[in-house]
Amino acid sequence: MKLGFIGLGNMGAHMAANLQKQHELVVHDIRREATKNHLANGAKWAETPTELAQQSEIVLTSLPNPPIVEEVSLGANGLIHGMSPGSVYIDLSSNSPKVIKQIAARLGEKGIQMLDAPVSGGTPGAKAGTLEVMVGGDKATYERCMGILKLIGKSVHHCGPIGSGTQLKLINNIMSRVNAYNALECMLLVKKLGLDLKTAFEVIQGSSGDSFVFHQKFPRSVFAGNFEPGFALDLAYKDIDLGTQMAREAGVPMLLASMVQQKLLDAESRGWGSRDWTTIVLPLEEALGVKLRL
């Protein structure tokens, strides 16, 4: 099958590489140098999303935010001008449910199907092809694309109609950030009390206080003092902002999420937007005079 892929960043580059193992690939990115490995492995370059769409049966995008997704799909050089009736557009980005539904409606007028399929698992999961994939859209289109999605994710879930995959991803990301901030505060308490951080980590990892972000993320980032982006703080703020907006529209209070959103905004205002989102620990460490390093 001939696939188009737009957005070869930290996540997209690995997902596209996994798809390329079994399918022909056409690629596009605002930075052509981001596609060099894919081109070296036989992918074809497209100058615009429209040109890419003209050569692809299924188009996938992994992009930073809703305005960029909207421009790539519906803009002057967008996918809509090159995709054929019966083709499929899959957006893997963390997006806005409203934007997803608007794009799907516009594409649907031309007989083009759309799935929203955001992923979770970070750069390691994207590289290994073991992401969790949350899919919204027509069930028949989902089943048609299952073979493609299985190349990027170990677990692929149909969550409901268009936009539902994005809704669930935003909820997941809110839970992740809130869990993480609570865990950071508790580990700083461990340090201030003079307890051994390594022992505390091992105990909690096997106890009810454990979470995925605690035992998987922290050893690679906070505990190692490594704040190179696995998932950039700018993107983490964008996701929690979209999620709390979604909650407000649904009339659901999100007290903890709103607090963590402000902590992310504080870190972003310090110029840390391109660093890993776990840099939210640094102001806490500075204020308390301790560091969470193993």
Side-chain angles (χ1 to χ4, degrees), residues 30-284:
I30 194 170
R31 303 163 297 115
R32 181 163 181 161
E33 64 271 18
T35 69
K36 63 181 181 180
N37 290 335
H38 307 84
L39 296 175
N41 288 323
K44 294 183 178 178
W45 167 257
E47 288 291 338
T48 65
T50 299
E51 183 182 315
L52 178 140
Q54 291 168 340
Q55 303 176 59
S56 308
E57 300 169 60
I58 296 176
V59 176
L60 303 97
T61 57
S62 179
L63 298 165
N65 58 50
I68 293 176
V69 175
E70 195 166 17
E71 178 64 25
V72 165
S73 57
L74 303 179
N77 294 305
L79 299 172
I80 193 170
H81 306 298
M83 296 184 75
S84 304
S87 58
V88 181
Y89 170 39
I90 304 174
D91 182 36
L92 304 165
S93 317
S94 294
N95 207 330
S96 157
K98 276 187 175 181
V99 169
I100 285 290
K101 291 174 184 178
Q102 290 166 359
I103 294 171
R106 288 280 305 278
L107 294 176
E109 293 170 0
K110 295 200 167 190
I112 302 162
Q113 295 295 318
M114 181 177 181
L115 298 174
D116 61 302
V119 299
S120 182
T123 306
K127 187 174 183 178
T130 57
L131 295 166
E132 292 284 328
V133 188
M134 296 155 262
V135 188
D138 173 69
K139 188 68 178 288
T141 305
Y142 162 77
E143 291 172 350
R144 173 185 168 190
C145 296
M146 177 64 80
I148 299 296
L149 297 171
K150 283 283 189 182
L151 293 176
I152 64 174
K154 68 173 181 180
S155 187
V156 182
H157 307 270
H158 185 250
C159 303
I162 194 72
S164 58
T166 294
Q167 290 170 330
L168 190 53
K169 172 62 189 296
L170 294 177
I171 291 167
N172 172 79
N173 280 15
I174 289 173
M175 290 182 68
S176 173
R177 308 302 174 245
V178 171
N179 288 343
Y181 198 81
N182 174 254
L184 290 171
E185 288 183 330
C186 290
M187 290 299 95
L188 286 164
L189 178 58
V190 164
K191 291 285 288 188
K192 289 297 283 187
L193 292 174
L195 298 172
D196 182 69
L197 183 60
K198 185 174 185 292
T199 300
F201 173 72
E202 291 172 352
V203 168
I204 293 170
Q205 190 179 25
S207 303
S208 58
D210 190 27
S211 65
F212 178 87
V213 70
F214 180 70
H215 75 254
Q216 290 283 346
K217 179 69 173 176
F218 284 8
R220 299 195 305 265
S221 58
V222 178
F223 294 158
N226 175 22
F227 298 104
E228 290 300 312
F231 192 76
L233 190 141
D234 279 341
L235 297 179
Y237 177 79
K238 179 261 298 183
D239 284 358
I240 205 167
D241 188 50
L242 289 171
T244 52
Q245 178 182 330
M246 181 176 70
R248 287 194 298 274
E249 292 169 355
V252 177
M254 302 291 282
L255 301 179
L256 294 177
S258 296
M259 183 273 288
V260 174
Q261 181 180 6
Q262 293 304 306
K263 296 297 183 182
L264 288 164
L265 182 59
D266 174 53
E268 196 174 42
S269 71
R270 295 170 187 250
W272 299 341
S274 62
R275 303 177 75 181
D276 192 77
W277 65 269
T278 51
T279 53
I280 57 173
V281 73
L282 297 180
L284 290 172

Side-chain angles (χ1 to χ4, degrees), residues 20-38:
Q20 193 174 11
K21 293 173 184 176
Q22 294 194 28
H23 298 279
E24 292 183 61
L25 201 64
V26 184
V27 294
H28 176 78
D29 192 281
I30 194 170
R31 303 163 297 115
R32 181 163 181 161
E33 64 271 18
T35 69
K36 63 181 181 180
N37 290 335
H38 307 84

Side-chain angles (χ1 to χ4, degrees), residues 3-18:
L3 308 179
F5 203 106
I6 299 176
L8 287 302
N10 289 333
M11 295 289 290
H14 295 303
M15 290 189 281
N18 285 327

